[in-house]
Amino acid sequence: MNKLPETIKVLVVDDEQDIRDGCERIISRMGCEVHKAPRGDKGLEMLDKTPYLLILLDMKMPGMDGLEVLEHIMEKNDEIIVIVITGYATVETAIKAMKLGAYDFIPKPFEADQLRIVVGRALEKLRLKSEREKLEAERKRNLADLAAEKSRIRTIVESLPNGVMVTNMDGQVVLMNPTFRQHLEFDGHQGIGNMVNECIVDEGFCKFIQEICEGKYMAQNRIPTYEFAISEDKYLQVQGHPVLGENGEYLGAVVVTADITAIKVLDRLKSEFVAKVSHELRSPLSTIHEQLAMVIRDFTRQSDTSQDQELHMLSRAKEKTSGLISLIGDLLDLSRIESGTVCQEPRPIQLEDLLESIVDFLKIKAESKKQKLTFQRPQEALPKLTADPLSLESIFGNLITNAIHYTPENGQIRVEAAKEDHKIRVDVIDTGFGIGEKYVDKIFERFYRVKDENTRYITGTGLGLPIVKGLVDSLDGSISVKSKPGEGSTFTVYLPAR
Ligand code: ADP
């Protein structure tokens, strides 16, 4: 029985016509359809044809008596609710009937109310039973759905073209799909249950997962990525996210890997091509630049005003070649940084001395815009840095030159240096145009230049900051910028003191 039929069919088996009719009257008013049988065998016959849920059965009948009928009923279906009707003297029979599986009994003679109460209780039991069975069926269906859903998700994860690995908070691997194993070139023994650092050799990757579990990237509102080489000709990019519980607590990390070897190879070919072209162009351009300078010198000496227009054109051409030479210089620098062949001759450096000399050198440029460029030596000497001085000159030279370029006349530029934990922090602070929030992430991309009212007439290549970033990265440092349009910008560089 799952769903109760709208009208419950009740069978009354009794040899007394009055009782049968009385029962019919009362029970049919309770919304049931009542059928009647005058004898036990007739009742059983009717039960074969109709699925009665409730039977009122007289115990004392001629022919087959109530107990025997009850036994047959219970054999057929022990879920049928049977209420036995007993006479005064047959309490014992009632007990016997209950033992055989009858639900309740009602002694003869009975009042209409008595019958209503007993039948009402039986109907309530039927309703509750049907409800319980319905809930149970629903639970089973939910469980089946859940199991199907689980296996569906597992199949999807297993067939993803990207690698997927999930760890718990302790860095223990709890899921790893076949693509991940293939990406990491696992030979079989690494797997679920292992600690990440037991499976993965790359320390940066292990640190990346640890940082995700610690929630380091949550506030940054972006998906952090990490790139590393598995072998000389295989590169992977990893994206990660913390796994959060229902209450926002950290449960672990999920990382997705993608094979970016093809992109890397293309990037390398592009860099090599750019480097080659730049290299080939540099000498002829420098020669043109020199020759233009000579022609302009000769023209100026002749002080012939009729040729002013030609002179102007030549000067423009010289300016343009000089812009091209600087672009080529930047491109060559960038490709050297990318290929790791940038001049890296590390030696111990007292950074405040180097910063002071850069600031002194660039003061003339700042003064030409009536700007105040200052460097405040830290009160305590900074710990020595071991780095390539040319790289450091390029980093801070670029940042201070930018500050001069993007700060209007009479502005101020301050350079500050300080020790912070095991790092050296340098701030280049200006009171310039500032950078809109939407551009801040982009200015470190190659060739990106902010184009607005303030910067429209300032020439540049858009390669200065990518060079700075590349060099800072190569020194294991970091660079960030804080800026407010109209108020100024602060570029902060951290370098490891070692
Ligand atoms: P370039 O200066 O040759 O354009 P960069 O890569 O050095 O290229 O800088 C990229 C862009 O970042 C610049 O075009 C400029 O819009 C912005 N920028 C850099 N430094 C500053 C600064 N100190 N203040 C305001 N904007 C800056």
Side-chain angles (χ1 to χ4, degrees):
M1 178 184 65
N2 212 334
K3 194 166 174 278
L4 269 190
E6 255 175 47
T7 323
I8 295 174
K9 289 185 178 143
V10 179
L11 176 66
V12 181
V13 189
D14 199 309
D15 56 338
E16 286 178 56
Q17 168 106 31
D18 291 351
I19 299 269
R20 287 200 304 272
D21 294 346
C23 285
E24 181 182 26
R25 222 175 21 253
I26 293 165
I27 300 173
S28 52
R29 281 197 206 124
M30 294 172 86
C32 301
E33 184 181 321
V34 182
H35 298 181
K36 298 174 284 186
R39 289 187 321 273
D41 53 350
K42 175 76 179 143
L44 289 175
E45 227 172 77
M46 289 169 76
L47 181 60
D48 280 339
K49 292 184 194 128
T50 313
Y52 296 105
L53 295 177
L54 175 61
I55 298 176
L56 274 86
L57 178 64
D58 185 17
M59 285 286 97
K60 209 156 188 286
M61 286 182 293
M64 198 188 275
D65 81 344
L67 281 178
E68 200 182 338
V69 180
L70 179 62
E71 260 175 297
H72 284 293
I73 295 174
M74 288 297 128
E75 261 166 37
K76 279 184 205 288
N77 181 356
D78 63 0
E79 290 198 355
I80 297 175
I81 292 193
V82 181
I83 298 169
V84 294
I85 305 170
T86 57
Y88 282 121
T90 54
V91 176
E92 267 168 43
T93 327
I95 293 169
K96 263 191 203 162
M98 300 295 273
K99 278 188 185 157
L100 280 176
Y103 167 70
D104 209 344
F105 72 93
I106 181 160
K108 260 186 199 175
F110 49 79
E111 298 289 325
D113 273 351
Q114 265 175 296
L115 181 67
R116 252 185 241 117
I117 289 171
V118 176
V119 172
R121 220 165 28 217
L123 292 177
E124 179 64 7
K125 181 180 157 93
L126 279 174
R127 199 184 57 74
L128 288 176
K129 194 164 164 237
S130 146
E131 194 76 4
R132 199 181 58 231
E133 283 174 4
K134 206 168 90 193
L135 287 177
E136 179 65 10
E138 221 160 72
R139 193 181 64 89
K140 276 195 187 139
R141 208 172 36 245
N142 285 345
L143 279 179
D145 286 354
L146 210 65
E149 180 76 356
K150 248 179 156 178
S151 89
R152 193 162 42 226
I153 288 176
R154 188 177 311 124
T155 315
I156 293 170
V157 172
E158 298 271 297
S159 27
L160 278 176
N162 285 66
V164 178
M165 182 185 74
V166 183
T167 72
N168 64 16
M169 275 296 282
D170 307 323
Q172 198 176 24
V173 178
V174 292
L175 188 148
M176 209 182 245
N177 76 349
T179 317
F180 186 85
R181 293 173 166 284
Q182 189 199 333
H183 277 167
L184 272 290
E185 298 179 348
F186 284 170
D187 52 18
H189 69 276
Q190 305 98 328
I192 295 175
N194 281 114
M195 297 304 287
V196 173
N197 53 9
E198 287 168 357
C199 319
I200 296 157
V201 191
D202 190 275
E203 280 178 21
F205 187 8
C206 299
K207 193 164 158 242
F208 181 68
I209 290 178
Q210 191 189 337
E211 286 173 347
I212 291 174
C213 288
E214 288 166 1
K216 182 178 168 191
Y217 302 102
M218 274 312 270
Q220 297 180 6
N221 215 1
R222 66 181 172 94
I223 297 176
T225 58
Y226 172 73
E227 283 180 18
F228 71 109
I230 272 287
S231 57
E232 261 192 25
D233 52 4
K234 183 165 178 185
Y235 295 87
L236 292 183
Q237 188 190 58
V238 190
Q239 290 195 311
H241 213 272
V243 182
L244 300 179
E246 271 177 22
N247 303 319
E249 72 278 18
Y250 290 97
L251 300 179
V254 54
V255 291
V256 178
T257 55
D259 189 337
I260 51 161
T261 309
I263 301 171
K264 281 280 173 191
V265 170
L266 200 70
D267 225 30
R268 196 171 60 219
L269 288 176
K270 204 174 69 192
S271 293
E272 281 169 10
F273 174 76
V274 170
K276 209 166 178 160
V277 173
S278 309
H279 193 75
E280 293 297 320
L281 284 176
R282 190 157 63 169
S283 347
L285 262 176
S286 301
T287 314
I288 295 170
H289 188 260
E290 283 305 307
Q291 287 169 348
L292 280 170
M294 267 169 56
V295 176
I296 290 170
R297 243 191 336 265
D298 286 351
F299 262 104
T300 328
R301 273 201 206 114
Q302 287 165 18
S303 57
D304 180 354
T305 49
S306 67
Q307 287 174 326
D308 270 2
Q309 205 180 344
E310 282 86 347
L311 189 64
H312 177 71
M313 277 162 59
L314 285 171
S315 302
R316 291 276 299 145
K318 184 172 153 257
E319 252 172 52
K320 291 279 171 203
T321 47
S322 138
L324 278 175
I325 290 169
S326 118
L327 170 67
I328 283 169
D330 282 353
L331 282 172
L332 282 172
D333 281 350
L334 205 57
S335 69
R336 274 196 292 262
I337 294 167
E338 280 171 354
S339 63
T341 55
V342 66
C343 164
Q344 289 281 20
E345 285 174 16
R347 46 189 167 86
I349 285 173
Q350 200 63 48
L351 191 63
E352 53 269 54
D353 294 343
L354 187 115
L355 287 172
E356 199 163 53
S357 72
I358 302 173
V359 166
D360 279 345
F361 177 73
L362 290 171
K363 252 188 185 141
I364 306 163
K365 206 179 176 93
E367 274 159 14
S368 71
K369 284 182 81 179
K370 301 192 190 73
Q371 292 165 338
K372 196 169 162 209
L373 169 62
T374 53
F375 169 58
Q376 189 153 7
R377 283 186 82 91
Q379 288 185 337
E380 255 182 62
L382 296 174
K384 278 213 161 91
L385 261 180
T386 308
D388 172 33
L390 288 180
S391 300
L392 291 174
E393 269 173 30
S394 179
I395 294 170
F396 297 108
N398 259 306
L399 290 179
I400 300 169
T401 311
N402 272 354
I404 296 172
H405 279 160
Y406 300 105
T407 298
E409 288 198 350
N410 301 312
Q412 288 185 17
I413 296 143
R414 244 167 49 233
V415 180
E416 291 176 1
K419 179 174 176 274
E420 234 182 74
D421 301 328
H422 297 292
K423 293 175 187 160
I424 295 177
R425 170 188 175 140
V426 181
D427 289 309
V428 178
I429 309 153
D430 66 51
T431 56
F433 305 128
I435 307 160
E437 207 184 323
K438 58 179 173 186
Y439 305 120
V440 165
D441 276 346
K442 297 199 172 136
I443 55 173
F444 293 98
E445 287 171 14
R446 279 181 254 176
F447 299 109
Y448 191 83
R449 308 200 64 226
V450 179
K451 293 223 171 68
D452 60 22
E453 283 304 305
N454 297 317
T455 58
R456 179 165 299 171
Y457 301 106
I458 302 172
T459 53
T461 59
L463 290 174
L465 289 179
I467 289 177
V468 169
K469 172 113 177 58
L471 289 170
V472 170
D473 286 348
S474 76
L475 295 171
D476 286 336
S478 64
I479 179 164
S480 59
V481 57
K482 281 208 176 103
S483 188
K484 252 195 174 163
E487 287 185 21
S489 314
T490 300
F491 283 80
T492 303
V493 175
Y494 278 103
L495 295 170
R498 54 177 177 212

